[in-house]
Amino acid sequence: MGDFERRLDTIWRIESPRLIAALARVTRDLALAEDIAQDAFVAALDRWRDGGVPENPGAWLMTIAKRRAIDRFRREDTLRAKTGELQRSTAHSISIESEIEMLDQDVGDDMLRLMFIACHPLLSREARVALTLRLVAGLTTAEIARAFLTSEPTIAQRIVRAKRMLAEARIPFELPSQAERMGRLSTVMEVIYLVFNEGYSATTGADVVRPALCEDALRLGRALTHLAPESGEVHALVALMELQSSRSAARAQTDGTPVLLADQDRSRWNRSSIRRGLSELERAHERGSLGPYGLQAAIAAVHARAATFEQTDWHGIAALYDALAEMMPTPVVRLNRAVAVGMAFGPEAALPLIDELEDEGALREYHLLPAVRADALERMMRYSEAALAFERAATLAKNERDRMFLHRRAAFCRNR
Amino acid sequence: MRFMVMVRSTPDIEAGVLPTTEELTAMGEFNERLAKAGLLLEGEGLHPSSKGARIRFDGENRRVIDGPFAETKELIAGYWIVKMQSKEEAIEWFRQAPCFNNGGTLEIRQIFEAEDFGENITPELREQEARLRIGGLGT
């Protein structure tokens, strides 16, 4: 790829989301919007190769896109008029054309509208993620495929199908009403957090593509804080992602072996991520009581503020988990809460919470439930019970490293 | 990757001439575009060097020199911290920055990062375990 092509790639990445967002507003058709944007880009490429890239490529692209949109619209009209299908009144045609004329006027909410559409509840989670990364974050199909360890045709098809589905359902392109807004924002947040976790818990060796997803998610999240600044949870989501990624450099050894929080070298935590995370959390606080993302961010913030593991405010963390478990009583949250309670008030307080989960049969296949129980029993010096629980955890463990680790702890308890 | 984009000073800025309303508006619009693209981390303007000071280190000696400083074009008048995918992306964005006083220079420099994602990838289950054992879902 030459310098010129590289530069165009960069310009596409910067300009395409805005271009597609504006085109979607006037065409009310994502596929068509993307088509016209690409058309405009191809036209620009031809002209810029000889004439050079103009000082304001975005405005330039917008002008070409506008012309293309009007051309297409007129061509379709002529076609329909010929076949006698045209039912549009002249007045209607004029109103569409004047809407297209307004293409380059930033009506402000174009990007937000595009996010809402890409994350429409009608679509599957996978489709929302692919569409958001493609249209809002400006990633190529190839980049998305690499990040999700799948083939390019798979992602391309997923995107095509999603766009078709949205077109067939004739979903409205207007911004959702105030009453609906919070619900729709949470589908956008869910997609962003999914992308983040996909990158954060990447399972493949030295692949740097997947962690780049963390950066994409953060970029989308930061954008959303400016597009929907009124929502505390959006700020909280960014806080949570900043605080989690602040530990990236400390959370694994060079060979990929994870380092537990207790053993992490806190000097390797990224202070600027922490600072940004804490100030986003503050903004979330200013906007009212914390929601699920806010509480998780607040928990991460307690860790971030502790100079050493020993200085961690476990009482604070346990209280935050109490609130989180009330709001989101999933077994995993409740198990986390049990661990926090154990750290704050001792294993005796944690054990009943763990037993409750076991009695319900929740997380039956999850090795961490017996592992957490074993840990509590060990601390209470009930060694033979602890050994049994560790053994059970070992049989449930999904990989060899975990299994060996749990067997070792079982053996240690048996020998006490 | 993060970049620091520095605004080099001009004689006007050093003389304490404040930006006009038009300039401030243009700057505000540019910053808003950066923010709405999720790229802006920070951005600040600096007072003229007459309000600043330098500390010169020479062996054991420390010498404090009060501003203003002569070499106007080498001085920094403000900066952005932005997150970009590449230096090329940073250049493309800042070519479109509003221009002050019919001139000036922006300098784009990459910031060193402590994190090195490449060597720090952890298997998902181990990560979950780490998170659980320390009792933080959001850790």
Side-chain angles (χ1 to χ4, degrees):
Chain A
M1 204 172 10
D3 281 353
F4 178 68
E5 281 78 13
R6 236 197 316 275
R7 189 159 172 216
L8 279 181
D9 260 16
T10 309
I11 294 176
W12 171 255
R13 197 183 142 82
I14 295 173
E15 303 295 344
S16 70
R18 257 199 336 162
L19 202 55
I20 292 169
L23 282 161
R25 170 185 15 116
V26 300
T27 61
R28 284 154 205 273
D29 181 335
L30 274 189
L32 183 58
E34 212 187 352
D35 263 9
I36 297 176
Q38 264 158 0
D39 264 11
F41 217 71
V42 171
L45 194 133
D46 280 345
R47 216 161 312 174
W48 296 350
R49 194 186 298 281
D50 302 321
V53 179
E55 277 314 318
N56 192 344
W60 225 89
L61 284 166
M62 208 59 102
T63 309
I64 306 185
K66 196 196 285 186
R67 222 172 289 151
R68 300 267 147 150
I70 291 178
D71 282 353
R72 276 197 194 217
F73 171 72
R74 287 190 185 149
R75 208 162 42 219
E76 261 174 47
D77 257 13
T78 322
L79 211 69
R80 289 217 190 94
K82 272 187 193 149
T83 54
E85 272 180 63
L86 186 69
Q87 281 154 2
R88 248 197 295 258
S89 69
T90 318
H92 188 204
S93 294
I94 289 170
S95 91
I96 291 180
E97 287 203 21
S98 62
E99 243 182 90
I100 296 174
E101 280 301 332
M102 278 178 48
L103 185 66
D104 49 357
Q105 279 167 33
D106 185 6
V107 297
D109 286 326
D110 282 353
M111 284 311 294
L112 185 59
R113 191 175 308 130
L114 187 62
M115 282 194 188
F116 281 143
I117 291 163
C119 301
H120 200 279
L122 190 72
L123 303 170
S124 71
R125 283 211 175 98
E126 291 79 21
R128 288 179 213 171
V129 167
L131 210 54
T132 303
L133 289 176
R134 172 95 182 106
L135 297 183
V136 187
L139 266 65
T140 63
T141 311
E143 283 170 328
I144 302 169
R146 240 179 297 141
F148 286 91
L149 312 175
T150 176
S151 75
E152 213 178 314
T154 308
I155 295 291
Q157 214 181 24
R158 200 175 285 170
I159 291 173
V160 169
R161 231 182 272 145
K163 283 191 286 202
R164 197 187 308 141
M165 204 167 185
L166 292 173
E168 279 166 9
R170 293 179 191 283
I171 58 129
F173 274 67
E174 280 72 33
L175 279 172
S177 67
Q178 210 53 39
E180 263 182 283
R181 191 173 160 103
M182 211 31 236
R184 295 292 298 280
L185 268 177
S186 63
T187 65
V188 178
M189 286 189 270
E190 188 194 13
V191 166
I192 294 175
Y193 199 44
L194 267 174
V195 171
F196 180 83
N197 276 320
E198 194 68 29
Y200 199 67
S201 55
T203 50
T204 48
D207 193 342
V208 292
V209 177
R210 287 160 67 80
L213 286 174
C214 291
E215 288 308 322
D216 290 319
L218 267 162
R219 180 156 58 92
L220 290 169
R222 284 188 201 114
L224 196 57
T225 61
H226 292 279
L227 296 167
E230 78 284 0
S231 160
E233 275 292 85
V234 173
H235 290 278
L237 171 62
V238 174
L240 178 60
M241 294 191 293
E242 290 278 17
L243 292 168
Q244 275 175 304
S245 54
S246 74
R247 293 194 265 277
S248 293
R251 62 200 265 274
Q253 293 167 12
T254 40
D255 64 355
T257 313
V259 181
L260 299 184
L261 191 59
D263 305 323
Q264 285 180 10
D265 173 0
R266 293 183 180 220
S267 69
R268 298 189 68 195
W269 287 1
N270 186 322
R271 304 320 299 183
S272 13
S273 300
I274 291 176
R275 186 169 44 78
R276 288 195 297 270
L278 294 178
S279 69
E280 286 297 341
L281 181 58
E282 213 167 287
R283 279 181 208 128
H285 270 297
E286 286 162 7
R287 283 160 178 78
S289 57
L290 298 179
Y293 290 116
L295 290 168
Q296 291 176 72
I299 291 163
V302 175
H303 289 301
R305 285 197 189 98
T308 64
F309 184 74
E310 290 67 33
Q311 287 171 14
T312 309
D313 173 13
W314 289 106
H315 287 88
I317 289 179
L320 288 165
Y321 267 116
D322 287 348
L324 185 61
E326 200 142 299
M327 212 176 277
M328 230 171 70
T330 66
V332 173
V333 168
R334 289 166 59 204
L335 183 57
N336 272 294
R337 174 172 170 245
V339 175
V341 166
M343 293 300 288
F345 305 104
E348 298 80 6
L351 200 59
L353 302 176
I354 301 165
D355 287 343
E356 213 176 274
L357 281 167
E358 286 217 327
D359 292 345
E360 285 171 24
L363 304 173
R364 201 172 299 158
E365 303 295 315
Y366 197 37
H367 68 288
L368 290 175
L369 179 55
V372 166
R373 187 162 187 274
D375 194 71
L377 289 166
E378 186 188 358
R379 284 172 66 200
M380 292 162 78
M381 293 184 289
R382 286 159 65 173
Y383 295 116
S384 55
E385 288 166 86
L388 283 174
F390 274 128
E391 287 298 351
R392 202 153 58 79
T395 59
L396 290 174
K398 297 274 189 307
N399 68 53
E400 198 49 39
R401 195 152 40 177
D402 285 346
R403 218 169 356 255
M404 274 170 52
F405 176 76
L406 291 162
H407 277 310
R408 255 204 314 277
R409 291 197 66 181
F412 179 80
C413 287
R414 261 196 309 276
N415 293 333
R416 292 296 296 255
Chain B
M1 44 189 91
R2 282 184 306 157
F3 291 89
M4 181 178 223
V5 181
M6 291 166 277
V7 184
R8 286 288 181 70
S9 199
T10 62
D12 269 3
I13 296 175
E14 273 297 279
V17 178
L18 293 174
T20 64
T21 311
E22 288 76 40
E23 285 172 335
L24 285 175
T25 310
M27 188 53 83
E29 276 167 12
F30 178 71
N31 285 337
E32 191 173 312
R33 259 199 83 194
L34 273 176
K36 285 189 173 171
L39 301 169
L40 180 64
L41 301 181
E42 269 173 58
E44 305 288 350
L46 306 181
H47 281 284
S49 72
S50 56
K51 292 192 178 178
R54 280 177 178 169
I55 304 173
R56 265 245 161 89
F57 291 75
D58 178 18
E60 292 295 297
N61 297 321
R62 309 277 185 275
R63 195 155 61 90
V64 177
I65 308 149
D66 280 320
F69 308 114
E71 58 283 19
T72 305
K73 282 185 177 159
E74 304 300 320
L75 298 175
I76 307 297
Y79 67 90
W80 288 271
I81 308 270
V82 290
K83 194 112 192 180
M84 295 283 173
Q85 217 196 18
S86 60
K87 187 176 88 183
E88 285 71 29
E89 194 181 346
I91 293 173
E92 252 356 291
W93 270 99
F94 281 90
R95 289 176 83 106
Q96 296 181 34
C99 159
F100 279 179
N101 309 105
N102 301 315
T105 306
L106 291 184
E107 182 170 323
I108 299 175
R109 302 283 296 272
Q110 193 180 340
I111 296 175
F112 272 113
E113 304 286 354
E115 77 225 4
D116 183 4
F117 282 115
E119 59 179 31
N120 288 307
I121 308 204
T122 45
E124 192 172 316
L125 284 170
R126 300 287 302 180
E127 176 54 34
Q128 275 177 341
E129 175 162 328
R131 263 185 265 168
L132 266 174
R133 196 163 302 141
I134 50 74
L137 223 181
T139 55

